[in-house]
Amino acid sequence: MAHHPIDDLNPTDNEHFQDVLAQASVSRRHLIRGGVGLAALGTVPFLAACGGGDAAPSPAPTEAALGFNAVAKSLLDEVKLPAGYTYSVVHATGDRLVSSVPAYSNTGAELDAWEQRVGDHHDGMDLFYVDASGRYSRTATARAVLAVNHESSADSHFWHTKGQTSGGVNGKKFSQFNGWDLLPRPELEVLKEINHHGVSIAEVRKGGDGKWIYTVDAPLNRRVNGQTVMRIAGPAAHLSDIKAFMATAYDPSGATSRGTLNNCGHGKTPWGTYLACEENWAAYFFMPAGSVDVDAKTKASRQRYGVIRAPFAGTGNAGSQGWSSVSTTDNRFTRFNVSAPGATAADDFRQEPNTFGYIVEIDPLNPNTQPAKRVAMGRFAHEAAVCGIPVVGQPLAFYMGCDSQNEYVYKFVSTALWSEADIGGGMVAGDKYLNEGKLYVAKFKADGTGEWIELNFANPLISGYANYSFDNQADVLVNARLAADAVGATKMDRPEWGAVNPKNGEVYFTMTNNSSRTVAGTDAANPRAYLDNDGKGRSGNPNGHIIRLKETGAVNATATGFRWDIFLFGAEEDAGAGINLSGLSAKNDFSSPDGLWFSPSTGICWIQTDDGNYTDATNCMLLAAIPGSVGDGASVTVNNSLGGNTASQQTFIGAALGDAKLRRFLVGPKGCEVTGITETADGKTLFVNIQHPGENTPAIANAADFTFESQWPSNAGYGPGSRPRSATIAISRTDGGVIGL
Ligand code: FEO
Ligand code: CA
Ligand code: CA
């Protein structure tokens, strides 16, 4: 389940009911024009409902069949795979990247060596082949590196011998006690926690026994962590304004910042660099009791991003891990205290939160290059960044979600036109494509179309926004959530990963769940509000959905319009038909889709879950789908009922996949989420991350008494000790075939 704050921080009434009604009337006109009466709304084909005419349906992708038997739901503490498949662990939390530090004990006894160890909470990842000259290769070579995000320190009690020492009570998860009177935390614990964050880069290879392993001491092994110095990068015309937002006592010029945090999903650029996305970073910051925000704008920005959460009377906000509480003047720790004791922003760390919330570009093949924070791509809770199909001579588009309840979907379009000469171009190519461009936010309309609205200071809706007074375009980029509010973007059910179908360029986004969606608050793109009444009793949109869109311009990247439908609705197999709209069965029912990725070799759409709502019946999972295309389904009416309110909501759903085209492939161990996925170029090895197994382990007074919810992967024969560890696994077929088909 979510292990970071995903609270609704969006106070706007974007997409309120009146908008939906107004848009619905457009839809009805289209329906009538298409010769379909309103009475037939429940079953009309999608193209008719969209008015037809504007675009031909996409050709169906080449049909392929899933070649495995569905895995049953499981509550066991193991990785379940279909018959004929096997896995091994590539690396797990704490594994050393260099032999100069001891092998991992898995007892919490390590000192501060986490900048030389694989981090925790494995998340987004990608594989990069290296050619003989050390440059990135799109095709397979004998040498490769695996870059892995390490999202969170929510389970950092496992890396201290007796759990976290905080508030005077051993063994507690500090995050469970946010709002306590702030007692100092030990420096070593905090240093370990900061340094485990970020990205690990490790050379990987297939061993003599056919199992994929990482190589200790390999030249390209590297850790980017919560202290790594990074360059602030952005549009040339606005860079000095951007740097003014970044000035701190660490770097008064605002040219650099320290560290990347909460790297969740990821992206891979066409030129061969890695994009680590900074997701829910805001909660690490702290304001002592009695301190105040610098000014109204700072306060508004912090509130919109969740930097200041509901203060607890008399105590201030401890921050989710209490990092600023270390008794020291060392600004590696004091920077998380964002009160303003200095004369100017360059004298303290009031602006430190402005240095997080970005797409961070890292060149995994050049350990000496400095990562860059790509401010042009906006600042929010970046889940992931997926590039549209690159077309030579056209701009590149990167699709991005902001993962919190009622947040938005964004697109960045490069000014530079794609040239294959830039493949292997590293950070120089990154500067070319990711600094100059346009940032858009999505508005999904009730008639099945949508609009990309540019976030530009020249837009009077932004420059004249009543709730936040933007100074300039730099302000728009740094406070992109507020700019998106101003233009009326559609509030979504927690946008998680995006993925692009390599066959047709259509863009998929998981909407993982949203406990705050109400019947009156539904719209066509977020159409369900209901109660799961046979298990955990969660309400809103507890099981989530996957939306997809097809750009409608002549050039996909620069299109400002799209058509959309809902590819799949998550649901329990025995939920009513009004909830289980995709007709899921025991072989493919799922809840809370999160990770999403298309295999370039098979075209399979892989769906991963991070769920806490169906976990009475199953651990989190990975499913394989063979999708059709936008518009292959129908218009449907959802009859919502929740909390005594009932109303119907029209939407568009993709063609049913059935058991033949959607099957459960993997179920993870207890208390994990399944996230992060990539494969070898031949499609014969699939890498998958198992994050936070055992996350529901009760935090108690002495770690010696931990009662582990999970003991994976040591119970599967990997590594010492019995504490659960996040890990990357490599999955293969025992007959050596391609995965999934
Ligand atoms: Fe870190 Fe959006 O899950
Ligand atoms: Ca249930
Ligand atoms: Ca995620």
Side-chain angles (χ1 to χ4, degrees), residues 123 151 264-265 279 383 403 496-497 594-595 610 673 675:
D123 208 309
E151 181 183 17
C264 191
E279 193 208 35
E383 173 72 27
D403 179 13
E496 292 265 11
W497 288 46
D594 185 345
D610 174 12
E673 73 173 272
T675 184

Side-chain angles (χ1 to χ4, degrees), residues 268-285:
K268 183 181 188 180
T269 66
W271 54 96
T273 58
Y274 186 74
L275 303 178
C277 308
E278 298 183 324
E279 193 208 35
N280 283 297
W281 44 270
Y284 288 124
F285 295 98

